[in-house]
Amino acid sequence: MACNDLPNDLKILWNETGKDGPMFSPEQLRNETQKMQAKRRKGYIVLGVAFSAMVASLAIAFFLFHNTLARIGSILGVVSCGYWVVYLAAERARTAPDPAETNGVRHYRAELERMRDWHRGIGSWRAPILIPPFFLFDLGAAQTFGKAAPWVWLFVWFDVTIFLGVVAIGAPIKHRRTARKYQERIDALENASRG
Amino acid sequence: MDAVESQDECYEKAAAEYGAALARMAAAYEANPDLRRDLLQEIHLALWRSFGKFNGRCSVRTWIYRVAHNVAISHVVRQARGRMNAPAFLSLEEAEAKTSGENVEISTDRRQALAQLFALIQRLEPLDRQVMLAYLEDLDAETIAEITGLTVTNVWTKIHRIKNVLVRQFAGGRHGL
């Protein structure tokens, strides 16, 4: 049965809209797809190279620094940055939900779940695991160079305040709260679609 | 080469026939003109790519609206990401309760009526927005159910609420309802 009893004025008004919208050619869209894929690839490569460089630097630091704390920090740093290299490779292979594959409810739920899981992961523990290694490494460096350059201790305490306060404590709390809000929207969607 | 040509041909036909509907949809999902243009391009992009795997299991019309609405929903979710404390979307029930005061005569102020209609749609929950837009595009309840994944009964309930909202807000309702 058609839903065709819209008020006539409103129907005419609605149908007249959008007729001067921009049009796109297949060639434009093909170029745009290639540009988007290249940009996405570049983003992952840059991050991957950055984390790989940190793994290499921390591995070298293990042999250069004879301080115990600095060595423990460099081992943990290699492990946590190494995890990020693997994680980025896995994320690059993952794709967003395909808009052609499913109906509206399922697609919307998939998008909300993706956002919820991102906030649960990145904020809760993926970013904070980078903090303790660098903190230990800084402490070890301060122990080694602190007598010759006391400002190193200032740098260490600055690290502690900023990283522990903001990244290790504040950010996970904020991300967990946001993840809960996404879960509420998923639950509301579930109820609405059962209607 | 044949598969590529077929994909391009399908897309060009779809864009010619449904281009205006897609532009209306982009305007209903996004108020900001720059973001709206990006959204419209994303919709066309997704549509073009989707014709590479269209297998005729549903009608072309259903396919187009499903892809377009899903792209728009992804856009809404992405835009809302940094604004989880922004005012929540309205459900149709809440919209019904709100639209009692401001009545707009379509014939005397078309621009305001249109702006008000888009503003109303942009405040709705994404799923209710889908139903309202499909209803405004004259799709039948079965097609709307297929696009959204809701049951036909649920769609009819929502359409009933949509009609109440539109009648209350737009004085032109006396012409048709």
Side-chain angles (χ1 to χ4, degrees):
Chain A
M1 208 187 296
C3 321
N4 56 3
D5 46 355
L6 204 57
N8 279 340
D9 287 354
L10 197 57
K11 201 174 186 175
I12 293 167
L13 186 63
W14 183 255
N15 287 330
E16 279 176 1
T17 310
K19 287 188 175 161
D20 53 355
M23 296 302 283
F24 305 92
S25 69
E27 203 45 51
Q28 265 179 291
L29 297 175
R30 202 169 279 117
N31 290 340
E32 195 57 39
T33 304
Q34 284 165 1
K35 259 195 258 173
M36 273 168 52
Q37 285 170 346
K39 188 176 170 188
R40 189 168 183 260
R41 214 170 23 240
K42 186 178 167 189
Y44 279 112
I45 288 171
V46 164
L47 279 175
V49 164
F51 277 108
S52 301
M54 279 164 67
V55 168
S57 309
L58 288 165
I60 292 169
F62 176 86
F63 295 104
L64 290 180
F65 283 75
H66 299 286
N67 179 280
T68 309
L69 280 177
R71 279 189 153 174
I72 294 172
S74 57
I75 292 171
L76 292 178
V78 164
V79 170
S80 57
C81 291
Y83 166 78
W84 266 87
V85 172
V86 172
Y87 170 68
L88 285 169
E91 276 295 294
R92 189 177 158 187
R94 214 160 69 133
T95 50
D98 187 344
E101 290 294 316
T102 60
N103 60 44
V105 170
R106 282 206 201 120
H107 184 86
Y108 188 26
R109 184 164 55 225
E111 285 285 27
L112 290 175
E113 285 171 351
R114 209 160 67 98
M115 296 309 304
R116 177 201 62 192
D117 294 345
W118 189 86
H119 282 282
R120 274 183 185 166
I122 192 97
S124 297
W125 60 272
R126 282 204 182 100
I129 58 168
L130 294 170
I131 307 310
F134 285 95
F135 176 53
L136 287 172
F137 187 82
D138 282 350
L139 263 182
Q143 280 180 345
T144 305
F145 299 111
K147 283 185 192 144
W151 57 264
V152 174
W153 284 105
L154 264 177
F155 182 74
V156 169
W157 288 115
F158 178 76
D159 268 359
V160 169
T161 314
I162 297 294
F163 285 119
L164 277 182
V166 176
V167 180
I169 297 169
I173 292 173
K174 179 175 175 284
H175 282 291
R176 282 231 156 247
R177 244 185 236 151
T178 306
R180 259 200 302 276
K181 284 187 180 165
Y182 275 109
Q183 184 58 50
E184 283 165 14
R185 283 169 73 176
I186 292 167
D187 296 338
L189 174 64
E190 197 65 33
N191 291 333
S193 58
R194 270 193 236 121
Chain B
M1 191 50 94
D2 278 344
V4 171
E5 280 172 353
S6 173
Q7 180 183 358
D8 286 357
E9 278 167 6
C10 284
Y11 165 74
E12 280 171 329
K13 237 162 81 179
E17 193 173 346
Y18 296 98
L22 297 179
R24 288 192 286 269
M25 194 183 303
Y29 273 99
E30 181 54 65
N32 180 299
D34 294 327
L35 293 175
R36 187 187 311 152
R37 199 202 139 97
D38 290 343
L39 172 58
L40 186 57
Q41 187 177 52
E42 270 181 67
I43 290 173
H44 279 267
L45 195 56
L47 204 55
W48 172 73
R49 284 157 77 175
S50 76
F51 278 123
K53 50 183 130 159
F54 177 59
N55 54 15
R57 261 195 241 166
C58 62
S59 70
V60 173
R61 190 188 202 194
T62 301
W63 181 266
I64 289 168
Y65 279 108
R66 184 161 72 193
V67 170
H69 276 293
N70 284 347
V71 170
I73 277 188
S74 299
H75 174 87
V76 167
V77 171
R78 266 201 318 273
Q79 292 304 310
R81 184 164 67 186
R83 295 182 270 132
M84 288 305 279
N85 293 324
F89 294 124
L90 290 179
S91 65
L92 276 172
E93 293 86 342
E94 285 160 345
E96 239 181 324
K98 271 185 176 260
T99 54
S100 46
E102 299 163 22
N103 217 288
V104 180
E105 268 284 348
I106 297 172
S107 52
T108 55
D109 197 340
R110 297 170 76 79
R111 190 174 271 197
Q112 194 195 340
L114 197 60
Q116 206 151 336
L117 179 58
F118 277 123
L120 167 67
I121 298 172
Q122 282 155 14
R123 290 276 338 261
L124 290 177
E125 282 281 355
L127 211 53
D128 292 336
R129 218 182 290 196
Q130 276 195 347
V131 176
M132 184 178 267
L133 286 169
Y135 171 66
L136 288 167
E137 295 294 337
D138 267 346
L139 299 184
D140 57 76
E142 287 75 19
T143 305
I144 297 174
E146 202 181 341
I147 291 168
T148 58
L150 297 167
T151 60
V152 177
T153 314
N154 202 344
V155 169
W156 274 116
T157 307
K158 288 186 185 292
I159 285 168
H160 176 75
R161 291 211 156 99
I162 287 167
K163 276 160 41 174
N164 284 345
V165 167
L166 293 175
V167 163
R168 279 183 198 174
Q169 189 144 359
F170 299 98
R174 61 178 173 269
H175 290 283
L177 288 186

